[in-house]
Amino acid sequence: MADFPLHTTDSAPEAAKANLQAAEKRMGFLPNIFAKMAEAPTLLEAYLTLDGIYAKTSLSPVEQQAALLAISADNQCSFCVAAHTGGIKKAGADDELIKDLRSRKTPNDAKIAAVTRFARHLNAQRGWAEQTEIDAFLEAGFSHQQILELVIACALKTLSNYTNHVAGTPLNEELKPLAWTADD
């Protein structure tokens, strides 16, 4: 694996510095994924912009984070599973739901189960969703709009999961209590 830099706001390319500073201010620490993405300032900008757009979808914050967590677990991205565990806790999810998502089990909550099932299916099929899965998602009370919003979740996780895989992103100290491995 190539040795990708783990930038700080000082060592990052000039075009990435403002985004790193804003992320660090918002989160209280600089997530290592952003420190790795900073090597390609346009990747960092793309991820942060798309993440901001995803936050505006009609999915609830728990549904948004559940989709991201489920996709990250399927893609075996330890960094993102830890990060979205924190995100879904902040959104108000209970420990049982989080445990189910981290272990790739079907949650008891029917709405979250539908979101994660469809997000995982969409990701695994590279967008070629089967009609039966589309129908099941719609029958669970979701809309065509929300199907397309989950495409954003897949795009976000492609950007971040692939970056973490290729760049070998280490887990921040702040995220270590939420650490995860594919065997969990």
Side-chain angles (χ1 to χ4, degrees):
M1 181 178 299
D3 189 21
F4 287 82
L6 186 65
H7 284 291
T8 64
T9 54
D10 293 331
S11 71
E14 194 61 39
K17 288 184 180 188
N19 280 325
L20 289 180
Q21 290 166 344
E24 187 171 19
K25 183 178 180 182
R26 185 177 75 251
M27 302 184 84
F29 70 99
L30 180 60
N32 286 338
I33 185 174
F34 301 155
K36 291 283 187 172
M37 285 180 166
E39 183 66 13
T42 52
L43 172 62
L44 177 62
E45 181 181 6
Y47 182 84
L48 293 173
T49 301
L50 192 56
D51 186 55
I53 291 167
Y54 184 61
K56 298 176 189 177
T57 65
S58 64
L59 298 164
S60 74
V62 171
E63 292 166 346
Q64 289 172 9
Q65 288 296 313
L68 298 174
L69 180 52
I71 294 167
S72 295
D74 279 4
N75 289 345
Q76 298 182 2
C77 184
S78 297
F79 187 93
C80 286
V81 169
H84 293 298
T85 297
I88 201 166
K89 280 184 181 206
K90 185 177 177 184
D94 64 41
D95 290 340
E96 181 181 342
L97 172 61
I98 294 167
K99 182 181 176 189
D100 287 345
L101 292 173
R102 286 171 57 101
S103 62
R104 292 180 240 145
K105 293 181 182 169
T106 301
N108 289 329
D109 181 298
K111 295 289 272 189
I112 300 298
V115 166
T116 56
R117 176 181 167 155
F118 189 76
R120 294 173 74 211
H121 174 75
L122 192 62
N123 181 61
Q125 297 302 314
R126 307 294 186 257
W128 295 103
E130 296 173 11
Q131 190 62 49
T132 56
E133 293 295 328
I134 292 170
D135 292 344
F137 187 67
L138 294 172
E139 288 169 14
F142 291 97
S143 67
H144 288 94
Q145 174 184 337
Q146 290 164 320
I147 289 171
L148 298 175
E149 290 172 344
L150 286 173
V151 172
I152 300 170
C154 291
L156 271 170
K157 293 301 88 193
T158 298
L159 292 171
S160 61
N161 295 170
Y162 287 20
T163 296
N164 290 325
H165 293 164
V166 75
T169 307
L171 204 56
N172 292 74
E173 286 299 319
E174 294 85 350
L175 296 175
K176 284 189 177 174
L178 307 174
W180 175 89
T181 64
D183 299 330
D184 287 353

